[in-house]
Amino acid sequence: MPQPSSRPALPLALGLPIAVATGLVIPLQGRINGALAGRLNDGIAAAVVSFTTGLIVIAAVSLATSKGRSGLQRIIPAVRNRSFPRFYVTAGAIGALFVCAQSFTIALLGVALFTVAAVTGQTLSGLLVDRMGIGPGGKRPITGIRVLGSILTVAAVAWAVSPRFGGGADIASLVLPVLLPLVAGFLMSFQQAMNGTATVHYGTPLAATLVNFLAGSAILWVAWVIKLAVASPGNPLPTEWWYYLGGPMGCLFIGLAALLVRSLGVLITGLGMIAGQLVGSLVLDVVIPSPGTVVALPTVLGTVLTLAAIIVATLPWPRGAFARKPAPKGR
């Protein structure tokens, strides 16, 4: 039976900035995958390309490094000996669901509403997953400060993306479509916890990331073949190299998330990445704006409030710091 890795946990002062920096990659990956979907005129095909290129990259890195090869040798024994629940190897299906949610609902909901729904789901499940102790960091209590930080994060994200909301949408018609990104975001915390637990037993996030991309790629290829049976294929693959960077960026995101949840817990890892995602989106909108992009004051202030919410949720507040102090007795 493979022994869990004894790697020491990262301190919060180091792990949280890494989580924020990892989140910076997500908007760029989304921009690339969105451009690829438009070029191919097929959202599922773009997801297939992204996952498949990511799978090729992480497989090459795993085979080329001693740590990666060691992790590969641990996968089958860990699954066979039930070192963790076997369904954890299907964590990549959650990533595939998230990509499909982007493909099917962003055109209807818009990026703003999609982001709020996904972040809300991920923040709520981060609290739940930590409380259940599914991740490698064990159980973490639901404290008032963690709840407050989560609420502030969702509010800050909604404020930051509020300039992108359209005014003519029929709210009733959006209720059902918004459930898909809400559920996909809710499951993201479980994916991070499952990958984090697998990483402990594989000894490296490389192996967990490889298994993640294997499962996600298999599901997306099946979905694309089914689509071909009822619809014509999209446009041919582009020749520009940058269209294929989304998959490698996903490797970085999934691998670091699997590593960080052991030290930070699922909630704080997720909140840090959400903060990085907003900062990255803001930088992209300023440096490489997409057509119709306007950087408004709420976007900047909402991003700053998100960073403040992370501080609220992560600072080591002393017990009873916010308890009401009894009035001093008169002499």
Side-chain angles (χ1 to χ4, degrees):
M1 179 176 178
Q3 295 300 314
S5 169
S6 58
R7 182 184 311 233
L10 292 173
L12 178 64
L14 177 60
L16 186 58
I18 293 176
V20 174
T22 303
L24 294 172
V25 177
I26 301 174
L28 184 57
Q29 182 199 34
R31 183 79 69 88
I32 292 171
N33 285 341
L36 179 60
R39 180 71 174 267
L40 297 177
N41 194 29
D42 188 338
I44 296 181
V48 168
V49 171
S50 179
F51 263 75
T52 303
T53 53
L55 176 59
I56 293 171
V57 168
I58 194 62
V61 172
S62 297
L63 291 172
T65 61
S66 59
K67 192 69 174 177
R69 291 192 296 272
S70 175
L72 293 178
Q73 294 174 355
R74 288 171 171 258
I75 293 175
I76 294 178
V79 175
R80 182 189 297 127
N81 295 325
R82 299 181 184 272
S83 301
F84 50 82
R86 288 182 175 177
F87 70 87
Y88 279 23
V89 300
T90 65
I94 297 175
L97 174 64
F98 191 85
V99 172
C100 288
Q102 289 177 316
S103 301
F104 290 120
T105 65
I106 280 185
L108 177 62
L109 301 176
V111 175
L113 188 52
F114 178 93
T115 301
V116 172
V119 166
T120 300
Q122 184 177 356
T123 304
L124 291 175
S125 63
L127 284 168
L128 177 63
V129 169
D130 275 348
R131 179 64 182 86
M132 294 171 63
I134 296 176
K139 291 186 178 182
R140 297 174 187 247
I142 299 179
T143 63
I145 291 300
R146 289 163 68 84
V147 172
L148 177 61
S150 300
I151 293 174
L152 284 176
T153 299
V154 174
V157 171
W159 190 20
V161 302
S162 62
R164 304 180 189 178
F165 282 119
D170 179 8
I171 300 300
S173 67
L174 299 180
V175 172
L176 187 58
V178 85
L179 289 177
L180 186 55
L182 184 67
V183 171
F186 186 85
L187 293 175
M188 286 293 290
S189 295
F190 288 89
Q191 181 195 31
Q192 292 174 355
M194 291 155 68
N195 284 336
T197 299
T199 293
V200 172
H201 292 277
Y202 298 155
T204 171
L206 291 174
T209 305
L210 177 64
V211 173
N212 192 94
F213 271 86
L214 274 172
S217 296
I219 289 175
L220 287 171
W221 272 102
V222 170
W224 187 64
V225 169
I226 293 174
K227 175 186 176 295
L228 286 182
V230 298
S232 59
N235 300 323
L237 292 172
T239 57
E240 293 87 346
W241 60 271
W242 60 268
Y243 279 111
Y244 303 96
L245 293 179
M249 289 179 179
C251 294
L252 181 66
F253 166 75
I254 293 172
L256 286 176
L259 181 66
L260 290 170
V261 293
R262 181 182 182 188
S263 303
L264 305 182
V266 176
L267 175 65
I268 301 305
T269 298
L271 294 183
M273 290 184 175
I274 289 168
Q277 183 177 349
L278 284 183
V279 173
S281 297
L282 181 60
V283 171
L284 272 180
D285 287 346
V286 172
V287 178
I288 316 175
S290 56
T293 296
V294 177
V295 178
L297 182 61
T299 302
V300 178
L301 296 180
T303 301
V304 173
L305 180 59
T306 303
L307 297 174
I310 307 304
I311 294 174
V312 169
T314 57
L315 281 180
W317 302 101
R319 183 180 296 274
F322 298 93
R324 186 175 179 179
K325 301 294 192 299
K329 297 180 179 181
R331 294 183 178 179

